[in-house]
Structures are given as C-alpha cells and as structure tokens.
Amino acid sequence: MIELRQLCRDFLVGDQTVHALDHLDLNIDKGEYLSVMGPSGSGKSTLLNMLGLLDKPSAGEYLLNGTATSGLKEEQRASLRGGHIGFVFQSYHLIPRLNARENIELPLVLAGVAPKLRQPRVDELLARLDLVDRAEHIPNQLSGGQRQRVAIGRAIVMEPDLLLADEPTGNLDSKSGLEVVTLLEELNAGGITLLVVTHDENMGARARRRLHMIDGAISRDWQTDSAESKSILTAKPPTGKPLTQKTDGKAPGEF
Amino acid sequence: MRFGDLLAFNFKAIRRQRARSIMLLIAIAIGVLAINLLTGIGEGGKQFVLGEFDILGKNVLIMVPGKKETTGGIPPLTGETTRDLSLRDAEAILRLPNVSAVAPLIPGKIEISHGSLSREAFTIGTNRAFFPMRKLELAQGSILPEVPMDQAVSVCVIGSKLRRELFGSRPALGQWLRAGDSRFRVIGILKDRGQGMSLDMNDAIMIPVASAQSLFNTEGLFRIFIELRGLQELDKSRQRITDLLKNRHDGEEDVTIITQDSLLSAFANILDTMTLTVAGIAAISMLVAGILIMNVSLIAVSQRTSEIGLLKALGLPARTVRLIFLTEAMMMAAGGALVGLVISQVLLFMARQTYPSVPFATPSWAMLGSITVAMFTALIFSAIPARRAANMVPVDALLDKTAG
Ligand SMILES: Nc1ncnc2c1ncn2[C@@H]1O[C@H](COP(=O)(O)OP(=O)(O)O)[C@@H](O)[C@H]1O
Ligand SMILES: [Mg+2]
C-alpha cells in the first residue's frame, strides 16, 4: 500500500541543511499497525507529514498504491488527503468556534456531502466515541481526552484507509491516553492502516510492527509478538461493526 | 463545499471576530449610506425644481418680484421684494408684441368646506391662461372664465383628490364650496395627474386671481407666467419685458425673469457639484473600507493559520480556501451595504415626511451602484489575503500550534 524509496526531506535552517529524512526506505501493507518511536528531532513528524501528503520530499519517491505521488497536482493531493487519509494531532487542531458535532462533521461539509447524509454518520460516530452528551460543547468546554476523541471522529468520518496519529496521547493523562489508543486499535481491527508516533514505550509496544528512528533514518524495524502485545485488545474485542469499512470498495490512491 | 455550508461556515467565523467585523460593517455602511442619501437628496431637489418648470414650455418665462439674477445662480424663489408685481403689470406685459398670454399667480392655503366636510387646500388665484400654460386638463366642466383679471368671480376649478375628499361619489359640478367668507361654485374638475410635481394640482383649488386677492387680502402677485409667441426673439422679448417693468416701476429694475434654460443650467451646475461630492465621498469611504477589509482579512488569515492548515489537511483544495476568505469579506460587505441602504432609506422617508413636496428618493442606479461598489471593494481588497491563505503549505500552517 505504501512504499517509500530513498526518501529525503531537507530543511534549510539559516545556512545549514537539516536532513529530517535521510534516504529512507519503508513498505507498509494495508491493515498494518505500526508505532514509530525515536528521540525528538529524529524525523517522526516529518515522516508522518510525508505519508499524509502534507509535505513533499526533497528527493526520492513515495508510492501510494503503486502510484508515484510526485506526479500529482496539489488538487489531487488534497483530494487524496480528504478521502483516504485521516490525521490525529497531539494538539487536536479542533476549530474553536465549532462544537464537537460540527468539528466531526467538518470533513463531510468540506467534501460537499448533503446535510441529510451527514447527520446519521455523525450521530453514529458521536455514539461510538461516547460523546453524545458533549455534542453541542465547543472544544474549550471539553477535556483533553474528549477533544482527542472528537479529533479521531473527524479523522475517520470520511472512512479513510490510512490513519496517521502524531503523539495522540502526548497531552493526555494515562487513563485518557489508554482510551484513545484503544479506540485507534479498534479502528485498526476494523481494517484501517494505523501509524502512531509516540514517546511512550508502553504505547509503542502495543503495535504489531515497530519502527525506531534516529537522525532521519529507520534504525530498527521489527515485528512484536502480537499475541502478547495485543493481550488487552483481544481480551476486549471491538463491538459493533467496524467504523472504517468502506462501502464503495475504493482503494486509496484510486482517483 | 456546498454554498449554504460555505455561508454558514463564514457566518460563524464573522461572528467570532465580532469587533473587527462590526468595524468593517460600519465602514461599508457609511459609504453606501453616503451615496444613497446624497443622490436621494439631489434627485429629490432636481425633481422638485424640474416639477415646477418642466411642464412649462421653453417659450414660457416666469417673472418673480425682486432682483438677484446677475450672478446667474438660482433666482430668489421666495425672496423679499421692494415692490409688488401688480395685475396692471401683468396686463401691460400682455399688450407687448410677441407675448401671447400671461397668467398671474397668487398661492395660499385655506380651509375649504362643503356641507360638514372640510379640508385645508392649496389655493391658486390665477386666470384662464394658466390652464393651457401648465397643460392642465379637465375631467369635467370648464376652466376659469374669460374675464378681466381684476374681476372677481365666485367660481372655482378643483383637483381630483380634493373633489373625492369633499364630495365622495356625489356629483361636485355646480355645487358650492365655502372658503373663508366667500363661496365658490365648482365649474370644473381636473384630470387626475401623477405625483412628483411640487405643485400638486390634485389637491388644489383654482379661483380667479381677483377673488384670491380679496380672499387673502393681498395685492401683490407671487409670479407672472408669460407665454411668448415663438422662441426666435426670446432675448429681445425678455429685454422688452424688463424695460417695460423698469419703466413702470419708476426706473428700478426690481423683477427677475426666469427662463427654463437659465434655471436648468444653474441647477445642472449644482447637480454636477453634487455628483462629484458623492463620487468623492464614495471613493474615500470605499477606500477606507477596502483598506479595513484588507487588514481584517490579513489578521484573520494569520490568526487562522492553523485552521487553514487543518482545512487543507482535511482535503480542502487551495481554490476553496481562497473562496472562503473572498466570500467572507463579501458577506461582511453585503451586510454593511444592507445596513447603509436601510438607514439611507429611513432617513429619506423621514425627509419626505418633513418636506412632502420634495420627492426625496435614491435613484435605482445609485442603489445598485453603491452595492456593486461595496461588493467589488470587498472582492478586490480581500484578494491578497485570500491568496495568502490559499498558498499556505499545510504542514507549515499546522505547525502554528495556537488551535484548541
Ligand atoms: N518546517 C521546518 N523547518 C525547519 N526545520 C524543520 C522543520 N520541520 C522539521 N524540521 C527539523 O527536522 C528535524 C525533524 O523534525 P521532526 O520530524 O519534527 O522530528 P520529531 O517529530 O521526530 O521530533 C528536526 O531537526 C527539526 O528541527
Ligand atoms: Mg514530532
């Protein structure tokens, strides 16, 4: 699904070039669950931005479902972001004047989905995220965990194939952090490809595949014993139908 | 993005930055208000003056007591006079060659009653010549009789509205009206005429000039309308009339003769100045509003950097981001234009209530024009901020960590 070939991203800081990503190779299959760890400044966020088509490589190629993304127009990149990629940020990035419902609904609004079709989808998510009685609250009136759940709702409302979370629990206490991670894992169990950047070893250890980054390169890439690391998840399997099941069967990168 | 969603999204953003939105709204409103109010006043004044003179032919002169015409400006329409214009003056003018008719005028207001119904009516003391000169047509009966100007006759011609109000559906012709101590028999009723004239004849009662003299206890004439046989010798005829009056008034030149041309050209000057003033005020206020719009939008763009990054991350293409900021500015401009328009119309309505004879009204071109200018101003001055927003790189924009 994802293939990075000798990917580089350089930043010019003053008269110095910072190699945020340094000839990085990476393959990710559909449905995988990866955690990315590494020291601050090692390029984790840059990698996520690259995968999310928010940033362009300085060199190398990013293939998404076999399509070279370097040849895409900005418009096509935007439409791929909107339809196939979901983002969860450490600082939530909710729009402060919109309430929880409206924040979750936003991608549907931007995509021009009719209000009649938006409503049931958002209601379903609010229920799924345990936010029904917080639906009319604006972000300022919500706790960190609730805000991040709203952000996750917004990230998956378009039913993306790829969910990119950059330190999603960084601002949360351990209890809300665990709730959020569990939620993300349930989504992954429903079929979505999940990449989580984290500083928390316990969180990182939960993924089936782990990446360790240093200086813009992947220093370690290994599979964990899934039975052991996913004990919590298997003990408490997700209920109801998977949230991210695509109804149109469209694969990411098809445009 | 659907249009309705776009408007709703913008509306929430506008409400959020209330202080700046209101500032901008006021700036636009002032510009639109100025244009609509000034053109409304100008148009009202124009209609008022034209209303009095446009129904006179080019070959009709108006003589006004008092002298002020040398400057070429607007003559004294109500000016104080040294010497009255008399009926004898009017008769003398009529005897001049090339003068085909004269109509004296003594206006007034008096209570008119019939039976139990009464009403204050605009009263015009004049003669038979007045009717064709002002192109007044009759619905019924006949105009004032052919009698010497100094002969009072107890007859009157009334306007259609006055007839309705005093007689309802009953016949009016041949009935007697009481005005002060006098009684007048209705011999004619005017055809209904549209509004917009300063002298609203629908509301008026016309009586012989000599009757008006005794009714209002006055000798002097307010105006003398002089109709010339042709236009060829207009200047010469005018000079002859001036000489005659000077002669009759002991060598003093104490009357003013207005021609339609002199009046219109004097008024055209005023209108031109007015138009320039309006254009200037409009330009300045729109420039101020435009600069405000640009600054408000630039501030909004930088304050909402992180939001713009998010919108792009959520898949919004650059052109829609630009559209958001353009339509937001245009919505504020539309709101301001609406406020300005409503206030100007309320003020003009109040002006009409205060001066019913002046038809203050904004011409439609000015209404449309002011709104168009406001919208264009918003569009032009928000173009740069909108482009800045559209060109933001999503990842840079997202780095701005100010968002909740
Ligand atoms: N927009 C930018 N401009 C300049 N340097 C940047 C920018 N973004 C990231 N960097 C640099 O690239 C390196 C990797 O950053 P980042 O991917 O944010 O690291 P991490 O998320 O692992 O902490 C750092 O040295 C950082 O300073
Ligand atoms: Mg980071």
Side-chain angles (χ1 to χ4, degrees), chain A residues 9-14 16 18-21 36-49 55 166-167 197 199 213 215-216, chain B residues 395-396 399 401:
Chain A
R9 179 62 166 109
D10 301 333
F11 291 107
L12 253 171
V13 183
Q16 240 178 328
V18 177
H19 302 287
L21 294 180
V36 184
M37 295 187 71
S40 195
S42 58
K44 306 182 295 293
S45 295
T46 308
L47 173 65
L48 236 61
N49 292 336
D55 200 1
D166 195 349
E167 301 187 35
V197 170
H199 274 124
M213 286 185 73
D215 293 339
Chain B
V395 67
D396 293 344
L399 277 179
K401 297 247 160 111

Side-chain angles (χ1 to χ4, degrees), chain A residues 99-170:
Chain A
N99 63 28
R101 159 183 290 284
E102 292 163 337
N103 266 295
I104 292 176
E105 191 183 23
L106 187 60
L108 297 169
V109 171
L110 299 181
V113 177
K116 268 203 299 286
L117 302 174
R118 304 200 297 245
Q119 174 102 21
R121 176 77 185 138
V122 176
D123 283 341
E124 179 196 333
L125 277 180
L126 283 168
R128 176 73 181 78
L129 297 163
D130 198 19
L131 286 167
V132 172
D133 52 349
R134 293 282 179 273
E136 312 304 326
H137 290 47
I138 60 167
N140 269 339
Q141 302 163 330
L142 297 172
S143 73
Q146 289 166 340
R147 288 186 210 185
Q148 198 58 297
R149 293 213 297 276
V150 172
I152 291 172
R154 184 183 63 196
I156 60 173
V157 72
M158 294 296 285
E159 310 188 341
D161 314 287
L162 176 62
L163 190 55
L164 303 169
D166 195 349
E167 301 187 35
T169 62

